[in-house]
């Protein structure tokens, strides 16, 4: 496959590291603590999005101000406790990152995650200095599935969306990339190949070793 892209934009959870089971466990703990009953993986209230959106869905009520921040941070601290020492990059990520660097292609981390999680996750993965740009939940007024995060990343990197490749793992993220005008290669940590195609992904791969095979990189 030819690689015509001038920038590569990565989602974080499920895309550079498979954190979904740990987030699911943290949400279950959070729900039991605050509602008396847990939430199972796949519960529609856990649709990927910003943390406060899921907090409100799990609680079944609106929260604002100091209460919202307290509940937001409570969930993320539960995730940190469960995830500490257990995170690893998806197979082939380091090799792919080097391949992009050798070609002078800038990379961005573009996630709905809040900075409290971005800093924790990148530190756990020892990837703090691997991205030319990082955008989190606090950096763009509207998150995915709106295209705004990817459009903002393209603007800051000085590339047209049509010249950017997005790596995502969820239907919500794929939709955001497509809406921004980017091409999308899905990581299949949470989707089947058929589901990725249905969401609009142009390509899919199980991990970055598989993706590099697709690119013809040996």
């Amino acid at each position: 496959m030819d690689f015509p892209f001038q920038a590569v934009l990565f989602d974080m959870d499920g895309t550079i590291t498979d954190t979904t089971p740990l987030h699911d466990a943290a949400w279950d703990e959070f729900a039991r603590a605050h509602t008396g009953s847990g939430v199972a993986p796949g519960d529609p209230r856990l649709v990927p999005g910003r943390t406060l959106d899921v907090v409100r869905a799990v609680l079944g009520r609106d929260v604002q101000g100091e209460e919202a921040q307290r509940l937001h941070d409570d969930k993320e601290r539960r995730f940190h406790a469960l995830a500490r020492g257990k995170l690893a990059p998806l197979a082939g990520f380091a090799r792919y990152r080097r391949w992009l660097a050798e070609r002078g292609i800038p990379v961005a981390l573009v996630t709905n995650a809040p900075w409290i999680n971005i800093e924790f996750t990148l530190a756990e993965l020892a990837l703090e200095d691997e991205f030319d740009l990082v955008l989190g939940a606090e950096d763009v007024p509207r998150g995915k599935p709106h295209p705004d995060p990817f459009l903002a990343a393209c603007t800051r990197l000085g590339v047209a969306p049509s010249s950017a490749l997005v790596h995502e793992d969820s239907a919500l993220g794929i939709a955001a990339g497509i809406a921004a005008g980017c091409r999308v290669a899905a990581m299949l940590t949470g989707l089947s190949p058929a589901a990725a195609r249905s969401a609009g992904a142009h390509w899919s791969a199980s991990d970055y070793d598989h993706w590099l095979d697709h690119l013809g990189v040996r």
Side-chain angles (χ1 to χ4, degrees):
M1 171 188 163
D2 186 27
F3 198 86
F5 303 106
Q6 297 176 13
V8 177
L9 316 178
F10 294 88
D11 178 46
M12 186 172 75
D13 292 296
T15 301
I16 65 168
T17 183
D18 190 5
T19 53
T20 300
L22 294 164
H23 277 293
D24 286 345
W27 280 118
D28 184 57
E29 280 191 8
F30 175 89
R32 290 179 188 280
H34 294 284
T35 71
S37 60
V39 290
D43 188 296
R45 291 172 293 178
L46 302 183
V47 171
R50 293 184 171 183
T51 301
L52 268 180
D53 296 331
V54 183
V55 164
R56 292 172 178 133
V58 168
L59 297 181
R61 63 182 178 87
D62 191 19
V63 290
Q64 297 291 338
E66 291 183 4
E67 182 189 26
Q69 191 64 54
R70 175 176 57 79
L71 291 165
H72 173 286
D73 292 351
D74 177 61
K75 182 271 164 180
E76 301 307 3
R77 290 190 185 103
R78 292 174 188 274
F79 165 68
H80 296 174
L82 290 166
R84 189 167 285 109
K86 298 177 182 176
L87 302 187
L90 259 61
F93 178 80
R95 188 161 66 100
Y96 184 36
R97 179 68 186 89
R98 287 194 300 272
W99 186 83
L100 293 169
E102 288 166 1
R103 284 152 184 78
I105 297 172
V107 296
L109 188 70
V110 185
T111 173
N112 271 355
W115 270 92
I116 189 175
N117 273 5
I118 295 170
E119 291 173 346
F120 170 83
T121 301
L122 293 183
E124 287 289 304
L125 297 172
L127 295 176
E128 300 100 315
D129 301 318
E130 288 300 313
F131 296 93
D132 300 291
L133 171 69
V134 178
L135 293 178
E138 296 89 345
D139 299 310
V140 183
R142 298 193 307 173
K144 307 168 193 174
H146 298 289
D148 306 32
F150 291 123
L151 291 173
C154 290
T155 296
R156 295 199 193 188
L157 292 175
V159 301
S162 59
S163 296
L165 174 66
V166 164
H167 287 295
E168 271 284 356
D169 69 293
S170 69
L172 177 148
I174 292 169
I178 296 299
C182 304
R183 305 275 274 179
V184 179
M187 292 292 113
L188 301 176
T189 55
L191 294 174
S192 68
R197 285 194 302 273
S198 179
H202 301 87
W203 308 277
S204 64
S206 57
D207 55 35
Y208 294 103
D209 281 332
H210 184 196
W211 175 241
L212 287 166
D213 287 344
H214 183 73
L215 296 178
V217 178
R218 297 290 181 259

